[in-house]
Amino acid sequence: MPRLSRIGLLGFLSLVVLSGFAVSAGLDKVLAIAWVAFAAMAGAAALGSRPGESTHARKLVWAFGLASGAMITSAAVFLVPNAIGHHPQFGGFGIAFGILTGFGAHTVGHRLMHLDVPFDHAALELTAHSLTAGAIIGLVYGNMPSLGLLLGLAIVSHKGPAGYVAAHRLRRAGKPVSILLLPAAGVGITAILSALLNVPSSDAANGIVFGFAAGVFLHVAMDFLPRCELGGEVYEVAQLSDDAHHLLDKLRTHAVASTTLGGVVVFVFWLTIAQP
């Protein structure tokens, strides 16, 4: 029987407890996004941890492509206009700071991967991503409750494929996949807490906050684009075949199609649901 990670279990229980506070505070949208993120990562991790489960490069490209395309479109449509609408210059600075912060955190995170810590490095990186994304989601929805669920759901859509890949790696390394319960719950933990914070009611502050959120999510989405190049996650899976380079050439078409479709799906949902 697989070992149950105590840290993962603690993350899950923390989300359950905080969900009670979210219900009492009326944070319905934040709560829905939190549990969708948890279900997506935990469910995909369960699939990726099955004995004999193999990761197919084409499936990976479509999973990451749909998620990243939806995230980029959602951030551009729902967050960027809000940032610029509050204050064009401060909103623009917020977007720039968000992208640069995302790049900095990602780069430093890779350095931390080489540290000797009593925690799986992949799970550690996923947890950091989840906690950061959750904090920004909560801040945005807590201060702009009129936002629809489509933005939040698109942002956490990458949790599924990320959990699947991480679980597959953990299983091959003989490590407990249940550690992924922590990053799965991480979005909800920080989202609920940050949703209780109030941003100063000024156009400059709102421009920076919404711009920063847009920048961070744009960086995360671009980081998850299915790049079919040497050394990437897609290549790691593709090289299991006899002709990895030929497969990568074919997968580039799927990468373009999947990311485009992810954006189109958001547009269709916005056109049919978000519009009066």
Side-chain angles (χ1 to χ4, degrees):
M1 184 176 178
R3 290 175 292 160
L4 179 61
S5 167
R6 295 180 179 178
I7 297 177
L9 181 59
L10 179 62
F12 170 70
L13 294 176
S14 298
L15 177 59
V16 171
V17 172
L18 286 171
S19 295
F21 288 100
V23 171
S24 62
L27 301 174
D28 297 340
K29 292 179 182 177
V30 174
L31 189 62
I33 294 168
W35 281 101
V36 167
F38 177 84
M41 178 168 279
L47 292 175
S49 65
R50 293 185 302 181
E53 180 73 14
S54 60
T55 307
H56 299 284
R58 183 176 298 179
K59 291 181 180 178
L60 191 65
V61 166
W62 273 92
F64 278 114
L66 288 170
S68 59
M71 288 176 67
I72 290 173
T73 306
S74 297
V77 172
F78 301 118
L79 288 178
V80 171
N82 275 304
I84 302 301
H86 279 105
H87 196 291
Q89 285 72 36
F90 278 106
F93 278 119
I95 294 171
F97 293 154
I99 293 175
L100 294 175
T101 300
F103 170 74
H106 181 79
T107 303
V108 173
H110 275 295
R111 288 182 60 87
L112 295 177
M113 294 286 282
H114 300 290
L115 297 179
D116 185 17
V117 294
F119 199 73
D120 181 76
H121 289 95
L124 182 62
E125 187 174 12
L126 282 175
T127 300
H129 272 286
S130 296
L131 294 174
T132 303
I136 298 174
I137 289 173
L139 200 61
V140 168
Y141 274 90
N143 289 275
M144 195 172 178
S146 60
L147 277 175
L149 277 173
L150 183 58
L151 169 65
L153 297 180
I155 288 171
V156 300
S157 62
H158 69 287
K159 295 300 177 185
Y164 182 89
V165 172
H168 193 74
R169 289 174 176 170
L170 287 169
R171 181 179 61 80
R172 286 190 300 174
K175 298 179 180 179
V177 176
S178 55
I179 187 65
L180 296 179
L181 288 173
L182 178 58
V187 170
I189 291 172
T190 50
I192 294 170
L193 292 174
S194 64
L196 302 174
L197 302 176
N198 291 320
V199 175
S201 57
S202 70
D203 287 335
N206 284 320
I208 290 178
V209 169
F210 286 106
F212 184 80
V216 169
F217 290 137
L218 283 171
H219 168 77
V220 172
M222 290 186 289
D223 193 43
F224 274 93
L225 285 170
R227 296 179 177 86
C228 303
E229 308 294 342
L230 296 179
E233 287 185 332
V234 175
Y235 173 73
E236 181 182 332
V237 176
Q239 68 178 338
L240 299 177
S241 67
D242 295 330
D243 192 357
H245 291 282
H246 178 66
L247 179 57
L248 285 177
D249 285 338
K250 293 196 299 183
L251 289 175
R252 289 187 176 97
T253 302
H254 291 277
V256 174
S258 60
T259 52
T260 301
L261 182 58
V264 170
V265 168
V266 172
F267 173 73
V268 171
F269 270 94
W270 172 80
L271 199 63
T272 58
I273 296 177
Q275 293 300 294

